[in-house]
Amino acid sequence: AAMKLTQRFFAMNALTVLVSIAVTALAVMLYAALYARFSGGNPEGRDLERIFALRTAMGELQQEAARLSFEQLMERQTQQNLSDRMALWGGQAVLFLNREVVFSTAELSPLDLEKSLMLTGSVPGVETLEIGGRSYMFARNDYSLPTGDKGVLLLLAPVHFQTRFYVTAAAVAAGVFLVTFLLMNAWVSYRFSRSIILPVSRLRDAAVRISEGDLDAVIAEEGEGEVRELSRTLELMRLKLKESVWWQQKADDNRRFLISSISHDLKTPVTAIKGYIEGILDGVARTPDKVAEYLATAKAKADLVNMMIDDLLLYAKLDMGQIPYHFERTDIARYFEDCVGDFRHEFERAGIRLSLSGELSGPVQVRIDRERFQRVIQNILDNARKYMGKPEGSVDIILRETRTSVIAEIRDNGRGIPEDKLPYIFDRFYRADSSRKAAEGSGLGLAIAKQIVEGHEGKIWITSTEGEGTRVMISLPKL
């Protein structure tokens, strides 16, 4: 799982500190190596070596002085010898008699000398002392004189450390740590800017565009973690909104188209109804038979208007998915036998032969809404009857099956449909005849049939040869 922003932010800050410390340590080690190479050795090692040599020399001198009596130490030659040997190390020698200084090579104040005498005698096991802000290594011999007086020889040597090396090393460490820390912070800021700040800024701009109605700009998936998820969510929201707007526009277009088309189609029968009624009122139909004829024609036109309005309402509901289907397990062969029985008389009156044949291996079950699906067959057969255009017409219904579906083919030997008009045959209000007055209907028959078949998860398609006939195929999934 991706790290959360807070965890990633903490990890990046911790990494900044750790990298800064590591780089600083490497820089100090490199400086120490270079210093040792160009200054002739390890400064810390040289300090220890010098202290060890000083300790050895002072120990030897302390042992030699211990073999001498205090009276011998008071001799000038012995004192000069002590002074010369301590001078080699920058040290001093001091003789005390009953806590009074009787000989000293040290440039120290009496107070410091008194302090050194007290410190060297009161703290056993300590080899250095602090006087005047400086560190001294010391060695002390105590003497008891025959007269009862107390004598003390104190050897002092300042301890020098390579302070310049340590100061410079500290400066290097501080500088490298600061620079590395700033660079790492800059890198972290750059990373967060690229992965969080800039994507969030772009998302804000995208949200503003969406709020202004611009739904065409794609929102790229960028950034990390929650920011990338937010980008993906906003892009899905944009697509949903765009789809919603598209469907809304389509619904508006459908509504305008339906109103325009149905108004055009209704105008003809309504005008006819109006004309026949006016003919009766104006006395054009003078005989009772003529009046009855006019009224019968007006009634037929009113029935046509009523049928067109019913088709319009049905198509609108189907298109908006507002009609529920009541599916039932049905034997397809028996269902078509019933349908043919319902329509056979109507076709015989029109002089058209209607037949049903099956090429099924056995009973085939499908799930259909029997009432709605009968509307599909009715619309197709009505078209075949109305556009037959031949004295000896025939309509054959053939049932076939594949491994997964059953196919009902409704074939007629009518006038057929021009090839260039086949792609539009399922469009609303489309008539292949091109004359809207050539057939009495709503122009929604095949559009309704297509909606119902697709509501059954089936397919419908048409092939036709002009002058020879039309074949309508309906495919439904088998149970």
Side-chain angles (χ1 to χ4, degrees):
M3 237 190 235
K4 290 186 177 180
L5 286 178
T6 51
Q7 295 173 334
R8 192 157 55 249
F9 185 74
F10 176 79
M12 295 294 279
N13 278 286
L15 181 64
T16 298
V17 175
L18 292 176
V19 169
S20 300
I21 293 173
V23 171
T24 301
L26 289 173
V28 171
M29 291 170 62
L30 179 62
Y31 171 74
L34 293 174
Y35 187 93
R37 179 174 181 181
F38 293 107
S39 63
N42 183 352
E44 188 174 321
R46 289 205 317 277
D47 281 344
L48 294 175
E49 185 179 324
R50 179 177 175 279
I51 292 171
F52 180 75
L54 179 59
R55 166 52 62 196
T56 303
M58 290 183 67
E60 293 176 353
L61 187 57
Q62 182 184 18
Q63 290 177 4
E64 292 179 12
R67 290 193 290 267
L68 300 175
S69 63
F70 192 78
E71 290 79 3
Q72 289 175 310
L73 292 175
M74 293 297 292
E75 295 176 0
R76 185 172 184 81
Q77 184 176 356
T78 305
Q79 292 175 353
Q80 186 63 44
N81 183 41
L82 285 172
S83 177
D84 291 343
R85 291 179 65 177
M86 288 301 296
L88 293 174
W89 300 96
Q92 299 91 26
V94 183
L95 280 174
F96 295 90
L97 181 60
N98 293 329
R99 305 186 68 84
E100 295 290 337
V101 178
V102 293
F103 170 74
S104 173
T105 63
E107 298 178 356
L108 296 173
S109 65
L111 184 60
D112 287 337
L113 289 174
E114 177 68 22
K115 179 181 177 183
S116 64
L117 182 63
M118 291 176 60
L119 290 175
T120 55
S122 61
V123 186
V126 178
E127 297 181 348
T128 60
L129 54 86
E130 293 287 332
I131 302 175
R134 296 180 66 183
S135 296
Y136 288 87
M137 185 176 292
F138 68 88
R140 171 173 171 161
N141 286 340
D142 290 281
Y143 299 89
S144 297
L145 278 65
T147 58
D149 296 326
K150 300 289 186 180
V152 177
L153 170 63
L154 186 60
L155 303 177
L156 298 171
V159 181
H160 298 290
F161 293 98
Q162 298 289 336
T163 56
R164 184 178 65 179
F165 166 77
Y166 295 107
V167 170
T168 308
V172 169
V176 170
F177 181 85
L178 182 61
V179 170
T180 306
F181 188 78
L182 292 175
L183 289 175
M184 286 297 296
N185 265 287
W187 176 74
V188 169
S189 300
Y190 172 73
R191 282 291 305 275
F192 269 83
S193 175
R194 281 191 59 188
S195 61
I196 297 175
I197 298 174
L198 290 178
V200 167
S201 177
R202 294 192 185 100
L203 289 178
R204 181 196 60 199
D205 296 339
V208 171
R209 288 196 300 270
I210 290 174
S211 68
E212 294 173 350
D214 180 8
L215 300 174
D216 295 325
V218 177
I219 301 174
E221 284 191 24
E222 55 182 348
E224 298 178 4
E226 292 95 328
V227 178
R228 180 174 289 273
E229 291 177 7
L230 179 59
S231 302
R232 188 181 301 114
T233 303
L234 277 178
E235 174 63 9
L236 290 175
M237 183 191 75
R238 182 191 70 84
L239 292 174
K240 290 289 186 183
L241 283 174
K242 189 173 182 180
E243 182 183 16
S244 175
V245 170
W246 184 84
W247 280 109
Q248 182 63 43
Q249 291 176 345
K250 183 181 178 183
D252 292 342
D253 292 342
N254 284 348
R255 186 171 61 252
R256 285 192 291 268
F257 181 79
L258 287 171
I259 292 172
S260 173
S261 300
I262 203 67
S263 299
H264 185 278
D265 280 1
L266 286 173
K267 189 173 184 180
T268 300
V270 168
T271 302
I273 293 170
K274 182 180 177 183
Y276 283 112
I277 293 174
E278 287 177 349
I280 295 172
L281 293 175
D282 293 343
V284 175
R286 298 181 184 277
T287 65
D289 291 342
K290 201 68 174 176
V291 171
E293 180 186 345
Y294 273 36
L295 288 174
T297 305
K299 180 181 181 301
K301 297 294 182 181
D303 289 341
L304 175 61
V305 170
N306 189 58
M307 183 268 293
M308 293 173 68
I309 292 174
D310 287 343
D311 281 356
L312 174 64
L313 293 174
L314 175 61
Y315 178 81
K317 290 180 179 179
L318 287 170
D319 192 44
M320 297 175 68
Q322 292 182 347
I323 291 189
Y325 289 99
H326 303 287
F327 294 108
E328 298 178 72
R329 189 183 185 96
T330 304
D331 184 308
I332 193 67
R334 293 183 59 184
Y335 181 78
F336 268 90
E337 287 173 3
D338 293 341
C339 289
V340 169
D342 292 340
F343 292 106
R344 193 182 300 278
H345 178 66
E346 186 178 349
F347 271 72
E348 285 176 354
R349 280 195 310 171
I352 301 172
R353 181 182 61 84
L354 179 62
S355 69
L356 171 66
S357 61
E359 299 177 6
L360 305 176
S361 60
V364 176
Q365 301 287 324
V366 293
R367 288 180 70 249
I368 59 173
D369 183 321
R370 296 180 183 182
E371 181 182 351
R372 300 295 176 202
F373 200 77
Q374 185 173 10
R375 183 62 181 269
V376 174
I377 300 170
Q378 176 185 338
N379 289 353
I380 296 171
L381 292 178
D382 281 349
N383 281 346
R385 178 176 52 81
K386 286 187 290 186
Y387 295 106
M388 177 58 66
K390 288 184 179 181
E392 297 181 358
S394 66
V395 176
D396 299 313
I397 301 176
I398 306 165
L399 300 179
R400 300 187 181 92
E401 66 176 316
T402 66
R403 187 175 61 85
T404 58
S405 61
V406 60
I407 298 173
E409 177 184 343
I410 304 174
R411 178 193 302 172
D412 67 61
N413 64 343
R415 73 179 77 167
I417 302 169
E419 186 177 353
D420 60 331
K421 296 182 178 180
L422 277 176
Y424 312 105
I425 202 69
F426 290 107
D427 290 356
R428 300 158 300 178
F429 303 106
Y430 185 80
R431 291 194 181 92
D433 198 317
S434 76
S435 172
R436 303 191 70 85
K437 298 178 183 178
E440 294 184 348
S442 66
L444 290 169
L446 288 179
I448 290 172
K450 185 173 187 291
Q451 290 273 13
I452 294 174
V453 170
E454 290 180 350
H456 284 69
E457 298 182 357
K459 295 180 181 178
I460 182 170
W461 67 97
I462 292 179
T463 62
S464 183
T465 303
E466 196 170 5
E468 295 183 10
T470 301
R471 299 167 63 193
V472 180
M473 269 75 70
I474 301 172
S475 172
L476 293 173
K478 291 196 299 187
L479 290 179

